[in-house]
Amino acid sequence: MIAAVDPLESGQPQADLPRDTDIVRGPLVPGRETIESIVVALFLALLLRTFEAEAFVIPTGSMAPTLMGRHKDLDCSECGFNFQAGASREEDDQSHTLRTELAKLDREVARLRQLADDGSAGPQQREVARRQLSAIEAEDGKLAMLRLRLAGKMIASATCPNCGNVMRLTEGQGIDVRYDPRYPSFDGDRILVDKFAYDFAEPQRWDVVVFKYPEDSDTNYIKRLVGLPGETVQIAGGDIWTSRDGGPAEIARKPPAVMRAMLQTVHDSDHPAAVLQEQGWPAAWTDWADPAGDDCSWRAEDRRRRFSASCEPGQAATLRFRHFTPRPDDWKQARLGRGLALPVRPERIDDFQAYNAIHHQGHWVGDLAVACRLESGADAGLVEFDLVDGGRRHRCTIDLASGMVELKAAGGATGRAETAVRGRGSWRLLFANVDDQLRLFVDDTPVPLQQPVVWQTPLAEAAGWQPQLEPLRPGDRQASDLAPVGITLRASGQSAEVAVSALQVLRDGYYIGAVGVGRRGQIREEDVLAFPLEADQFFVLGDNSAASKDGRLWSDVYHVDRRLLIGRAVAIFWPHMVPAAWHVTVPLPVLGEVRLPSWPNFARMRPIR
């Protein structure tokens, strides 16, 4: 069953604005990937014999990147970074209506053409048919207008979140525009929903839930549950705040698995853009040694995919990240080999979402994480990671001699733990500052601290929190959100030697305090939004806050009653098939386009966090 068309009148393609259609319920039907249907049927036949579950299909991107609706799965043509661009508007109700009208008009054109050439018809009939045909097929006629409107439903381009490259996804112009065959569209994720999850347990904050849309019980939605009965839920500073019985609002902290699942990539050192490097584009990671000092330094290796440092006792080396975003003009100059026209300045990290075709006004994001592969070539040394949030620096210090770790918040809260990061070896690390809490993961496992490193920021302060945008140069020691991530090696009594690779800078999701959408697609918002909940009422939001019609924007109510809950989404059991690079697209009646050969996309088969 497919929900109604989004009623928002924006003047922009509607699929990238908050949507009505957030989930399609069904048994799975024959689609564009025939092999998928066969495997899905076999899988469900076995699974449903054991568990009370039901299969659903995600058509839109309101829960991206957690769940993908209809989308294009892209590898950036410049840096190779994999990302997704939403393509829901290709198959929304408006597109279906336009295709139906076009098919009717094509039949009418065929009828008129036959009549105009029919020698048995009278001269007057043939002349009328020719005039009607000429009007329909005119340059500004109905046929051209319909084709132009359908072309406007196509996803013309997508922007890589790693290097800023804008990829053109179409060929041709005007009514002759068509998709580049290298970039096919795929149907949304197939998920399993446990329909009896809440018969035996209470819904938990951060569950991904399926429910009946309060304003249309025939339509099913999927969102993340963020507010529980009896709470007042508030959105401020991109985070969720809750309070009860008139008490002070406290930030809602995500569990470790949910936090990691919602992190989004800002930078990945494994995917450098060669053209930018060759033309002198500034490096994201920079050795931060004071030019006048005698500290050791970091050496860039493998096209800046890897950095290493060796320090003698008493020395230190710092590596810092700055966010440089190339614009289309920068790319044009680089591809022409003209270098950089103007000095490039670092920018704050914001909530840019590559999935959305429409770019909204960005919001600064201070909740960041840094991940890397740390290799130690000595038995001692201190490795310090730091994250800057609004000019405040939070630290994670690892003593390689003992394996002891200390996490210290800017306000003084401290937590310690003993880890296996000791002596010589290699580990995958992730240090995060999210929801006013510091966390460390070693080889994908959260480190249990002696006490959690958390702090409480008053809601009013969080709502007005601003970045510190002081421009810095290598060697500067003050904290700035224009250089928000650092890695430092310190050698004390012994020499120290480390290398870092697979460097990633990630950001938390950002909840927008949206109160409406203007006719031109701009989001109207407030600094603080409050939603009081009564007994058996829940508050839900989409992960893709800029493109989700959820409790913030419903017309009649903003909550979901307990009786409307269908169940909890538990797993992506069948994402789109992955076609071979040399696949053949076979058009078939009813089934549409089938890409052969293809194989299962195992990488996205996982539990839903």
Side-chain angles (χ1 to χ4, degrees):
M1 182 175 297
I2 300 178
V5 175
D6 190 339
L8 297 177
E9 296 294 331
S10 66
Q12 293 284 347
Q14 295 178 346
D16 299 293
L17 300 175
R19 292 292 308 258
D20 274 348
T21 311
D22 287 305
I23 189 166
V24 171
R25 179 181 181 179
L28 300 173
V29 295
R32 291 168 57 169
E33 288 111 356
T34 309
I35 300 175
E36 288 187 36
S37 300
I38 297 171
V39 177
V40 166
L42 293 173
F43 184 90
L44 287 178
L46 294 173
L47 186 67
L48 297 182
R49 289 171 62 90
T50 308
F51 300 102
E52 285 292 346
E54 186 169 351
F56 290 73
V57 182
I58 307 297
T60 72
S62 71
M63 282 295 292
T66 305
L67 299 172
M68 299 295 177
R70 182 174 177 81
H71 65 281
K72 293 182 178 292
D73 203 346
L74 305 169
D75 290 326
C76 177
S77 56
E78 291 291 349
C79 72
F81 183 78
N82 177 255
F83 68 102
Q84 291 73 39
S88 303
R89 69 184 187 219
E90 296 175 349
E91 296 295 337
D92 62 14
D93 288 355
Q94 187 181 50
S95 294
H96 285 298
T97 299
L98 290 173
R99 278 195 286 271
T100 299
E101 291 180 10
L102 184 59
K104 290 171 60 177
L105 195 59
D106 284 339
R107 289 194 295 271
E108 176 65 10
V109 166
R111 185 189 70 81
L112 291 173
R113 194 167 283 140
Q114 182 179 9
L115 181 60
D117 296 335
D118 188 354
S120 62
Q124 187 174 359
Q125 281 184 303
R126 293 200 300 274
E127 182 58 28
V128 170
R130 292 190 188 100
R131 286 201 300 268
Q132 291 177 339
L133 190 62
S134 178
I136 292 173
E137 294 183 324
E139 191 172 311
D140 58 349
K142 190 173 182 180
L143 188 61
M145 292 301 101
L146 270 176
R147 288 176 176 168
L148 198 59
R149 290 181 66 189
L150 265 175
K153 303 292 287 185
M154 301 173 72
I155 311 303
S157 64
T159 303
C160 173
N162 181 57
C163 72
N165 172 41
V166 178
M167 295 177 60
R168 186 179 179 187
L169 307 178
T170 58
E171 300 173 332
Q173 299 290 334
I175 63 174
D176 297 321
V177 68
R178 60 193 178 279
Y179 273 131
D180 187 321
R182 295 174 295 174
Y183 310 125
S185 297
F186 299 103
D187 292 335
D189 292 333
R190 276 80 164 167
I191 67 171
L192 284 181
V193 176
D194 181 355
K195 298 190 296 182
F196 292 92
Y198 302 133
D199 289 349
F200 306 103
E202 280 293 300
Q204 300 296 307
R205 194 185 328 275
W206 309 117
D207 283 355
V208 177
V209 297
V210 177
F211 57 94
K212 293 188 178 296
Y213 178 35
E215 297 180 353
D216 179 3
S217 61
D218 292 332
T219 303
N220 295 333
Y221 266 32
I222 185 165
K223 302 290 181 188
R224 192 176 295 276
L225 193 157
V226 300
L228 300 174
E231 293 181 335
T232 294
V233 180
Q234 299 185 73
I235 303 173
D239 292 318
I240 302 300
W241 301 73
T242 65
S243 60
R244 287 184 179 274
D245 304 322
E250 297 185 355
I251 196 167
R253 297 186 174 94
K254 307 176 190 71
V258 175
M259 185 213 74
R260 293 199 64 184
M262 294 183 68
L263 290 175
Q264 300 181 43
T265 302
V266 175
H267 164 81
D268 188 332
S269 70
D270 279 346
H271 297 278
V275 172
L276 292 180
Q277 288 186 340
E278 292 166 1
Q279 294 302 311
W281 186 257
W285 290 95
T286 305
D287 177 65
W288 213 251
D290 185 344
D294 57 358
D295 278 348
C296 52
S297 60
W298 289 86
R299 299 176 299 277
E301 303 167 359
D302 189 19
R303 291 178 56 205
R304 310 192 74 84
R305 292 186 177 95
R306 186 175 187 270
F307 298 84
S308 62
S310 300
C311 295
E312 297 302 319
Q315 290 185 326
T318 297
L319 185 70
R320 296 210 70 81
F321 169 82
R322 290 178 295 177
H323 187 43
F324 297 102
T325 305
R327 306 300 181 192
D329 283 347
D330 297 322
W331 275 107
K332 181 178 179 179
Q333 294 294 322
R335 290 183 179 116
L336 292 173
R338 296 177 179 172
L340 303 178
L342 295 171
V344 180
R345 302 184 185 279
E347 299 181 357
R348 66 181 191 175
I349 293 173
D350 65 17
D351 62 337
F352 169 73
Q353 170 60 274
Y355 192 94
N356 301 331
I358 295 176
H359 298 170
H360 65 91
Q361 179 180 355
H363 304 83
W364 165 65
V365 180
D367 283 9
L368 303 178
V370 56
C372 72
R373 169 66 60 182
L374 174 68
E375 304 168 57
S376 172
D379 295 321
L382 296 177
V383 178
E384 179 183 283
F385 297 87
D386 73 82
L387 297 170
V388 177
D389 178 3
R392 300 186 304 182
R393 180 174 281 132
H394 308 285
R395 291 180 169 88
C396 166
T397 304
I398 304 172
D399 187 341
L400 292 173
S402 64
M404 289 299 297
V405 168
E406 179 183 80
L407 272 61
K408 187 172 183 178
T414 304
R416 296 178 177 86
E418 186 175 347
T419 72
V421 186
R422 181 185 300 113
R424 302 169 189 263
S426 175
W427 308 269
R428 180 68 183 170
L429 306 179
L430 185 145
F431 172 49
N433 163 39
V434 174
D435 300 332
D436 288 359
Q437 180 172 11
L438 302 184
R439 290 189 176 102
L440 175 67
F441 296 77
V442 177
D443 293 331
D444 297 324
T445 301
V447 173
L449 302 172
Q450 295 170 354
Q451 60 184 25
V453 182
V454 299
W455 60 96
Q456 291 292 341
T457 304
L459 184 144
E461 181 182 340
W465 195 245
Q466 294 295 322
Q468 170 57 253
L469 301 180
E470 181 72 22
L472 301 180
R473 295 178 297 178
D476 290 345
R477 300 305 179 193
Q478 63 266 40
S480 170
D481 291 274
L482 293 181
V485 185
I487 304 174
T488 299
L489 172 66
R490 301 183 191 279
S492 51
Q494 302 179 48
S495 60
E497 178 183 346
V498 300
V500 290
S501 58
L503 286 152
Q504 290 181 307
V505 175
L506 308 113
R507 67 165 180 87
D508 187 26
Y510 188 99
Y511 289 110
I512 302 171
V515 295
V517 179
R519 296 190 62 85
R520 295 186 177 181
Q522 74 278 14
I523 297 176
R524 302 195 306 273
E525 56 188 283
E526 295 181 0
D527 291 340
V528 179
L529 279 185
F531 302 91
L533 300 171
E534 298 179 1
D536 294 325
Q537 293 180 351
F538 300 89
F539 187 68
V540 296
L541 294 172
D543 286 358
N544 187 357
S545 194
S548 174
K549 185 179 182 185
D550 45 41
R552 302 167 300 167
L553 298 169
W554 294 338
S555 301
D556 299 330
V557 298
Y558 54 78
H559 60 268
V560 177
D561 290 333
R562 184 184 298 270
R563 62 182 175 79
L564 296 178
L565 294 178
I566 294 174
R568 180 171 63 89
V570 294
I572 301 171
F573 74 92
W574 198 257
H576 72 79
M577 295 283 282
V578 179
W582 43 272
H583 71 273
V584 176
T585 301
V586 182
L588 296 175
V590 181
L591 295 179
E593 295 181 348
V594 178
R595 293 177 284 276
L596 300 173
S598 297
W599 49 80
N601 187 356
F602 293 111
R604 278 191 53 77
M605 294 181 185
R606 58 174 179 253
I608 295 172
R609 303 297 187 189

